[in-house]
Structures are given as C-alpha cells and as structure tokens.
C-alpha cells in the first residue's frame, strides 16, 4: 500500500512539473499565482482595474518553433532582466537568484512568458521572455495566471492592439510581436485579420510584417494583396518590406515583379531599395535591364 501511495505521489509530481516549470525565475519580487479561470480577458481586466500601484500580470503559453532565447545579456553572459527602472528599485530581503532546475535543453524552449506592466489601471508595457531567463521584478508583485489557453492569450493581445484609446506605440508593437510568437493557429487568424481590417494603417503594416515572419511562402497572398489593394501607401511600403523578409528564392522574384509593374511610384522605389539590399544576382540583372532602357 505504501509503495502505491509513493507511486501516486510521483505521478502527481510528474504531471505538475510542466506547469511549475513555466513559472518565471523571479528575484526581488513577489509572485502571486492565480487560476486564470474561464475568460482570460475578464480575469485580466479585473486585475488591471484593481491595481492602485504599478504591478505586473503574466502567464506562460507555448512558443512557436525556433531556436530562440529571449533574455538579457552582458559581457557575453546571461544576466537578470530588470523589469523596473533601476532608480528607486527596492530589494526584498536577501534573495538569491533562482537556480535553473531540470535537464539542459538542446533545442529551443517550448514556452514563453508574457508579462504586462500595469499602472494607472492601464497596460503600459508588454514584455516577453523564455523561462530560462531570470527576472528582477524591482520589488513589484507579479500576478501569475495559471492555465491560460493560447487562443485566449491571442485574443487578449489583439484587443490591446485594436483598442481605440491605445496611444502607446510600444504596447501595440509588443502585442503584435507577442502574438506572432504563439504556437497556435489563432495567432495566424488574428494577424491576418489585423492586416486586412484594422482601422490604423500603422497596425495593418506591422501586422503584415509579422504575418510574413510566421508564414513564409504561405503569407505571399496576404502580402501581395496588401500591396495591390490597401489604400494607404505606407501600408503598401511595409508590405514590400515584408516581401524582403522572405527567403531570397521566394522574395526576390516578387520584389522584381513589384518593381516592374506596380502603379505606385513610391512602392516601386521601395521594392528597388530592398532589391538593392538583397545583393542577389537576379536583382543586379534587373537593375542592368532598367539602366539599359
């Protein structure tokens, strides 16, 4: 019987390990775990509205495939990432850095940490890290939401992008970048919707860029549609830049086509600029053809 109880305890610990491993490695701060429950936006909104002083809200979600570490470095070594400005930082007790536990990963991380800084009952900043990064909270509290569904995280971030009263470019840009790193189909849907429908030309342009980063060749129809159909020249130019971010075998021919045929001279000029940056022989052949006319 005793062996059976021990076995059940080991199974429970094994099942709990992934969830525990997703919590941030925190120093100089308080972590307050809470269940996300049903409806992340509602739970998140209640936490934001309840804050009377600056705090952080965070959670972990699966990260898109890739060999990446999102952390802070100094002198070639990984260092603690300060969430708060160094001035006025209050250290809590004599805490030592949280040790890294578990096996050393030979591949990229499976999850990422999304953190929102809340002040004056509004989101002022969004930051993303991988779990191997040690975070210095500067004496602040981090309300840690457990069991967040990736699709609900995407919805929450997209709502911050689209919010009419949101005037902070850094929040918008950080939210779009965070969406693009989600390992969930909802991220593709949200980015494409924002690229097509958002009322802000700046948001549409940024969303097109992140669509290209996620989808590669699959993103070409969305990018070319923006170049041809979006009414804003700046969005068209941003879409041309997105083409330049595709692998050379895919992006260079499309840039040449835009430079040849697009009716907007600013767009053609932008395509030629990125062709020049590519240093691709096909781009040189195209320029020789243009100069020969």
């Amino acid at each position: 019987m005793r062996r059976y109880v021990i076995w059940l305890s080991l199974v429970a610990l094994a099942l709990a390990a992934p969830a525990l491993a997703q919590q941030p490695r925190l120093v100089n701060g308080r972590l307050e775990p809470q269940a996300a429950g049903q409806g992340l936006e509602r739970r998140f909104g209640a936490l934001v509205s309840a804050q009377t002083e600056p705090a952080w809200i965070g959670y972990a979600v699966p990260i898109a495939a890739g060999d990446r570490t999102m952390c802070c470095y100094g002198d070639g070594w990984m260092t603690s990432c300060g969430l708060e400005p160094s001035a006025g930082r209050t250290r809590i007790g004599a805490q030592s850095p949280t040790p890294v536990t578990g096996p050393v990963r030979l591949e990229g991380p499976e999850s990422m940490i999304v953190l929102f800084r809340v002040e004056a009952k509004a989101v002022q900043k969004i930051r993303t890290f991988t779990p191997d990064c040690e975070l210095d909270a500067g004496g602040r509290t981090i309300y840690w939401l457990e069991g967040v569904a990736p699709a609900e995280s995407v919805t929450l971030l997209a709502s911050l992008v689209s919010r009419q009263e949101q005037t902070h470019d850094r929040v918008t840009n950080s939210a779009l970048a965070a969406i693009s790193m989600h390992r969930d189909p909802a991220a593709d849907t949200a980015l494409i919707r924002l690229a097509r429908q958002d009322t802000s030309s700046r948001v549409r342009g940024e969303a097109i860029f992140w669509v290209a980063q996620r989808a590669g060749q699959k993103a070409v129809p969305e990018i070319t549609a923006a170049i041809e159909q979006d009414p804003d020249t700046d969005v068209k130019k941003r879409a041309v830049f997105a083409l330049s971010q595709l692998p050379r075998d895919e992006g260079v021919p499309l840039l040449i086509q835009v430079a040849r045929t697009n009716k907007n001279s600013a767009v053609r000029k932008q395509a030629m600029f990125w062709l020049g940056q590519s240093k691709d022989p096909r781009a040189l052949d195209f320029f020789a053809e243009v100069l020969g006319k």
Side-chain angles (χ1 to χ4, degrees):
M1 179 67 180
R2 184 178 178 184
R3 289 183 179 177
Y4 179 69
V5 172
I6 293 173
W7 179 80
L8 285 178
S9 299
L10 291 173
V11 170
L13 286 172
L15 292 174
L20 292 173
Q22 289 182 343
Q23 289 188 350
R25 298 176 56 224
L26 185 66
V27 295
N28 193 24
R30 300 181 183 87
L31 191 70
E32 292 197 12
Q34 303 185 13
Q38 296 295 320
L40 174 62
E41 279 194 273
R42 184 182 307 166
R43 184 76 189 100
F44 183 87
L47 282 171
V48 172
S49 299
Q51 299 313 306
T52 57
E53 59 182 51
W56 290 82
I57 303 171
Y59 52 78
V61 288
I63 192 171
D67 184 13
R68 74 181 88 190
T69 295
M70 297 183 292
C71 201
C72 302
Y73 294 86
D75 297 327
W77 296 91
M78 188 182 295
T79 63
S80 294
C81 285
L83 299 182
E84 294 289 319
S86 57
R89 210 183 264 176
T90 303
R91 181 161 292 278
I92 299 175
Q95 294 171 299
S96 58
T98 306
V100 179
T101 58
V104 176
R105 293 190 178 276
L106 299 179
E107 298 180 352
E110 295 180 356
S111 63
M112 70 172 175
I113 291 168
V114 186
L115 291 173
F116 305 79
R117 190 182 192 278
V118 179
E119 187 175 4
K121 299 186 178 182
V123 174
Q124 303 292 335
K125 185 185 297 184
I126 302 173
R127 299 189 68 180
T128 51
F129 302 94
T130 41
D132 52 352
C133 184
E134 183 179 85
L135 306 178
D136 184 336
R140 301 295 185 190
T141 297
I142 296 181
Y143 296 94
W144 185 253
L145 300 176
E146 297 179 330
V148 171
E152 290 198 353
S153 171
V154 169
T155 300
L156 172 63
L157 288 161
S159 73
L160 295 175
V161 171
S162 302
R163 192 165 293 170
Q164 293 288 336
E165 66 271 21
Q166 182 56 262
T167 59
H168 298 288
D169 288 354
R170 66 181 182 182
V171 171
T172 294
N173 295 341
S174 298
L176 286 167
I179 291 172
S180 76
M181 289 183 280
H182 279 60
R183 190 171 73 236
D184 194 276
D188 299 320
T189 302
L191 289 172
I192 290 172
R193 177 182 60 79
L194 290 166
R196 288 177 175 173
Q197 302 175 8
D198 199 89
T199 55
S200 166
S201 61
R202 184 178 58 79
V203 169
R204 295 198 304 274
E206 287 296 315
I208 290 167
F209 169 79
W210 289 114
V211 168
Q213 297 300 304
R214 278 184 67 88
Q217 183 62 34
K218 293 181 181 179
V220 169
E222 293 298 328
I223 299 171
T224 54
I227 293 172
E228 297 299 327
Q229 299 171 17
D230 197 282
D232 193 285
T233 295
D234 286 338
V235 174
K236 293 176 183 287
K237 291 165 68 175
R238 190 65 174 163
V240 170
F241 172 67
L243 287 183
S244 75
Q245 299 300 294
L246 297 173
R248 289 171 119 196
D249 287 345
E250 300 168 11
V252 169
L254 294 169
L255 286 170
I256 291 174
Q257 181 180 352
V258 171
R260 284 186 189 277
T261 63
N262 197 273
K263 297 177 181 179
N264 187 316
S265 61
V267 173
R268 293 197 305 273
K269 184 177 180 180
Q270 189 79 353
M272 294 181 77
F273 171 81
W274 289 114
L275 282 170
Q277 296 297 306
S278 74
K279 299 180 175 61
D280 190 285
R282 292 167 295 179
L284 182 59
D285 291 342
F286 170 68
F287 292 140
E289 176 187 335
V290 171
L291 292 170
K293 289 184 178 179

